[in-house]
Each structure stands twice: as structure tokens, then as C-alpha cells.
Amino acid sequence: MNIKDLLSEKRILLGLNAGTKEEVWKAMAERMHEEGIVEDVQAYLDDVASREKQGTTGVGFGVAIPHAKSDAVRQAGLAMARTTKGIDVGSLDGTLADVFFLIAAPKDADKIYLQTLSKLARLLMHEEFRESLRKAQDSGEVIDTIEKMEEKIS
């Protein structure tokens, strides 16, 4: 399983002007809805918010990985957003998040859900990867950055 296989260029939002984590989640969920990944945006967002209440998905270094398994999701998918300013997500290290990856998985898709979360966390541990995501000029460059880092850590 590769991260790039769960992500499409249409689900990469660069320069997103949002003031709250919920606004970021909604923008990404709507893109997933447009591509048929998420069936019911509000039901999925409710599940993401419910998951967030269990503990922050702000992993630090300016990154958040909100996620949820949900009956409102048709198939596993991923969206990415880079915001114009940092947003308080309650990160473990106190940093504001400007890079977000939203994971959507059907309720019964434990394996792909956990694999995606684990692999993203491993990729995001690398400072060069995070910085490349922040410098990417377009969604194609984001996909290339992900592919190169996946090859590097494989």
C-alpha cells in the first residue's frame, strides 16, 4: 500500500485560507465527496470530530492527521491541505498546523486505515519531507514528493 495510491491531485489543496481545523476538514472532505470517496460529508465530519475528542491528531512539527472510519465512506481515500497560516489543533508539541492529511476509511477497513496512518506518520517524521510539502508549487509536485519519500523509506 502506497500513500500516493490513496491520493489524487484533485484532493490536494494548497494555499487553503482557513481559520479552524474544522474548516480544513470540511474543505478536504468535500473534495473526497466530489470524487465519490465520501458519501455523506456531514456524517463523515461528525465521525472525524468524534475521533478528535479521543485525542488530538496534531502530531507536531506543524502537521495534523485527522482521520475516521465511517459508514459515510465508500472507499479508503486521502486528502491533503496546506493552509496559508498555522491553525491551533492542540498539537502535542504546541505548534500550529499548516499541513493536514485527512484519512477516510469505511467502518470495516481496519487494515488499510491503520497502514495509512502508520505510513503517513513514518513519512512525516522526516524534516526534508515536511519541508518539501511546504515548498511544493502544485499538487503534482506534492505527489512527486510523496513518491520519492515512499521509495526512500521502502
Side-chain angles (χ1 to χ4, degrees), residues 119 122-124 126 148-154:
K119 190 152 194 185
R122 282 196 332 267
L123 291 172
L124 289 161
H126 298 271
K148 286 176 186 168
M149 186 54 84
E150 283 186 308
E151 287 174 14
K152 185 175 181 176
I153 68 167
S154 294

Side-chain angles (χ1 to χ4, degrees), residues 106-121:
K107 199 76 156 178
D108 61 352
D110 290 335
K111 184 177 180 181
I112 194 152
Y113 178 73
L114 293 172
Q115 285 177 335
T116 304
L117 191 54
S118 173
K119 190 152 194 185
L120 262 177

Side-chain angles (χ1 to χ4, degrees), residues 43-106:
Y44 173 63
L45 289 173
D46 290 346
D47 289 335
V48 171
S50 185
R51 164 54 194 89
E52 189 79 7
K53 287 178 184 172
Q54 296 173 22
T56 183
T57 55
V59 297
F61 305 105
V63 177
I65 311 174
H67 54 277
K69 292 186 293 180
S70 175
D71 288 329
V73 175
R74 290 185 187 143
Q75 67 187 48
L78 185 64
M80 184 257 184
R82 190 178 68 208
T83 58
T84 56
K85 62 182 178 185
I87 296 173
D88 185 5
V89 296
S91 290
L92 301 174
D93 66 354
T95 60
L96 300 178
D98 63 344
V99 174
F100 293 78
F101 282 93
L102 180 66
I103 302 171

